Amino acid sequence: MYRSKIKGLGYYVPENVVTNDDLSKLMDTSDAWIQERTGIKERRHVVKGTDTTTTMGAKAALKALEAAGVSKEEVDFVVFATLSPDYYFPGCGVLVQKELGLKTVGALDIRNQCSGFLYALSVADQYIKTGMYCNILVIASETQSPALDMSTRGRNMAVLFGDGAGAAVVSRSEGENGILSTHLHSEGAYADALAMIAPGVGTKWVPEILAENDPDDVSYYPNMNGQFVFKNAVVRLAEVINEGLEANGLTVGDIDMLVPHQANLRISQFVQHQFKLSDAQVYNNIMKYGNTTAASVPIALAEAVGEGKIKEGDVVVLAAFGSGFTWASAIIRW
């Protein structure tokens, strides 16, 4: 059986920087209030008519392909993770295939929100290990800002999220280094604790939406039971990290770098404290980008590698928790 390896990484974020002070002009909040609760200082928002989920994903993908030394003609398959697709259907997988001018390869869409990249990475890992494909393009991209309630009513969500994309080229390898294992979980009992209910054909049909056109219907905006999500996140992240370590005969002492989903700096710090990891062993960039949902792990991983904080042979742990609830981890020998 083959080993799969992340051969190249890339990321893209919009140029438009939105600071906490910028948000304080739109809603009752402040830089101090946001930083104290989330650790976020600024985030990136797309400008209408420029970036889309697909185009950002394509830009990140091109950087990943260049870093991997893999041509577009060598891509066998595409896995695209997002909660903010350009169309209700079809998904962004086929749209990015068109955008990049790829061959008529298969394109798969993943809808696992904050855990999306790790679910997508796991899918790619299985395809590589079975020998079905040699080079898989894994993309996670999010355009969330247009869906946010940018008023005091929606500030608890609006201050958190940003736009951006990350990508990885996952390739066949016969060496010992690479993805050692991935671990996926879900608990749909708490789906409504972090969700965007409408528009959805299970709740409202398009004619109803057009007829009502109710600006006060909060179901059209993302909503979250923040404290409940926080409590579940810290428990599940610890569990899934330990699960991955145990599956590979590793201990916390073997971790060289933990790259957690960038949901809230306080969550990352809580997990770091649980595992007694130093600041040098945990990579966070939520301060600059906010929560970019599925894109947060590949963006952070690409930055960590680019800054030389991950070297060959390091044990790298990726972990995420989010809407669904879904959570996941990946253990990698770099």
Side-chain angles (χ1 to χ4, degrees), residues 193-238:
L194 177 51
M196 183 172 171
I197 306 301
V201 295
T203 53
K204 292 185 179 181
W205 292 80
V206 172
E208 292 178 277
I209 296 169
L210 295 175
E212 292 176 8
N213 193 25
D214 182 2
D216 295 322
D217 187 347
V218 296
S219 68
Y220 290 93
Y221 295 109
N223 69 87
M224 174 173 62
N225 182 338
Q227 289 187 342
F228 186 72
V229 172
F230 187 102
K231 290 176 182 178
N232 276 268
V234 295
V235 171
R236 295 307 193 184
L237 284 170

Side-chain angles (χ1 to χ4, degrees), residues 66-77:
E66 182 179 3
V70 173
S71 70
K72 290 189 287 186
E73 291 71 31
E74 294 175 286
V75 173
D76 301 316
F77 196 68

Side-chain angles (χ1 to χ4, degrees), residues 87-156:
Y87 302 162
Y88 194 87
F89 70 85
C92 287
V94 296
L95 298 181
V96 83
Q97 182 264 341
K98 173 187 175 184
E99 182 79 15
L100 292 174
L102 302 179
K103 299 179 297 184
T104 55
V105 297
L108 176 68
D109 291 273
I110 299 286
R111 290 294 303 274
N112 286 89
Q113 294 64 251
C114 300
S115 303
F117 177 76
L118 290 184
Y119 268 72
L121 190 66
S122 182
V123 170
D125 181 41
Q126 309 314 313
Y127 275 133
I128 294 291
K129 283 179 176 176
T130 62
M132 186 169 183
Y133 297 121
C134 290
N135 296 298
I136 299 178
L137 186 55
V138 178
I139 303 170
S141 182
E142 303 287 8
T143 307
Q144 303 176 112
S145 57
L148 298 173
D149 180 359
M150 304 297 284
S151 70
T152 299
R153 180 182 64 179
R155 68 178 177 179
N156 289 344

Side-chain angles (χ1 to χ4, degrees), residues 158-171:
V159 303
L160 292 174
F161 294 97
D163 305 330
V169 175
V170 182
S171 298

Side-chain angles (χ1 to χ4, degrees), residues 3-333:
R3 176 85 74 194
S4 63
K5 184 176 182 179
I6 296 177
K7 198 171 183 180
L9 291 158
Y11 74 96
Y12 172 84
V13 291
E15 294 182 2
N16 180 36
V17 177
V18 178
T19 67
N20 292 342
D21 288 334
D22 292 332
L23 293 181
S24 70
K25 297 171 185 175
L26 303 173
M27 60 192 74
D28 182 14
T29 191
S30 68
D31 177 61
W33 189 91
I34 297 170
Q35 286 205 52
E36 179 184 346
R37 288 160 177 79
T38 70
I40 299 169
K41 298 180 181 179
E42 60 188 40
R43 72 287 292 147
R44 306 296 181 95
H45 285 178
V46 298
V47 174
K48 188 175 182 179
T50 56
D51 294 310
T52 69
T53 299
T54 297
T55 62
M56 288 194 299
K59 291 172 184 176
L62 288 173
K63 292 180 180 180
L65 289 167
E66 182 179 3
V70 173
S71 70
K72 290 189 287 186
E73 291 71 31
E74 294 175 286
V75 173
D76 301 316
F77 196 68
V78 176
V79 188
F80 200 117
T82 187
L83 64 71
S84 50
D86 296 337
Y87 302 162
Y88 194 87
F89 70 85
C92 287
V94 296
L95 298 181
V96 83
Q97 182 264 341
K98 173 187 175 184
E99 182 79 15
L100 292 174
L102 302 179
K103 299 179 297 184
T104 55
V105 297
L108 176 68
D109 291 273
I110 299 286
R111 290 294 303 274
N112 286 89
Q113 294 64 251
C114 300
S115 303
F117 177 76
L118 290 184
Y119 268 72
L121 190 66
S122 182
V123 170
D125 181 41
Q126 309 314 313
Y127 275 133
I128 294 291
K129 283 179 176 176
T130 62
M132 186 169 183
Y133 297 121
C134 290
N135 296 298
I136 299 178
L137 186 55
V138 178
I139 303 170
S141 182
E142 303 287 8
T143 307
Q144 303 176 112
S145 57
L148 298 173
D149 180 359
M150 304 297 284
S151 70
T152 299
R153 180 182 64 179
R155 68 178 177 179
N156 289 344
M157 295 293 280
V159 303
L160 292 174
F161 294 97
D163 305 330
V169 175
V170 182
S171 298
R172 182 185 298 178
S173 172
E174 296 182 1
E176 291 299 315
N177 294 3
I179 299 173
L180 303 182
S181 64
T182 57
H183 307 270
L184 312 177
H185 295 277
S186 67
E187 191 171 19
Y190 303 119
D192 290 349
L194 177 51
M196 183 172 171
I197 306 301
V201 295
T203 53
K204 292 185 179 181
W205 292 80
V206 172
E208 292 178 277
I209 296 169
L210 295 175
E212 292 176 8
N213 193 25
D214 182 2
D216 295 322
D217 187 347
V218 296
S219 68
Y220 290 93
Y221 295 109
N223 69 87
M224 174 173 62
N225 182 338
Q227 289 187 342
F228 186 72
V229 172
F230 187 102
K231 290 176 182 178
N232 276 268
V234 295
V235 171
R236 295 307 193 184
L237 284 170
E239 287 179 353
V240 80
I241 291 169
N242 279 322
E243 179 185 359
L245 293 173
E246 291 170 9
N248 294 283
L250 301 171
T251 67
V252 173
D254 293 309
I255 297 175
D256 293 299
M257 181 62 71
L258 168 63
V259 181
H261 164 53
Q262 305 293 297
N264 185 314
L265 186 60
R266 308 308 164 215
I267 293 176
S268 296
Q269 290 172 333
F270 193 98
V271 173
Q272 177 181 343
H273 179 74
Q274 281 183 300
F275 285 95
K276 296 180 172 59
L277 299 174
S278 69
D279 289 346
Q281 291 174 286
V282 183
Y283 192 87
N284 289 301
N285 62 2
I286 192 172
M287 303 78 71
K288 299 186 295 181
Y289 304 129
N291 180 350
T292 54
T293 311
S296 80
V297 169
I299 290 175
L301 182 60
E303 281 201 331
V305 171
E307 293 170 13
K309 295 186 176 181
I310 296 174
K311 62 183 184 300
E312 185 175 354
D314 279 354
V315 172
V316 179
V317 177
L318 312 180
F321 175 92
S323 172
F325 289 147
T326 62
W327 60 99
S329 68
I331 312 298
I332 302 169
R333 178 82 65 182

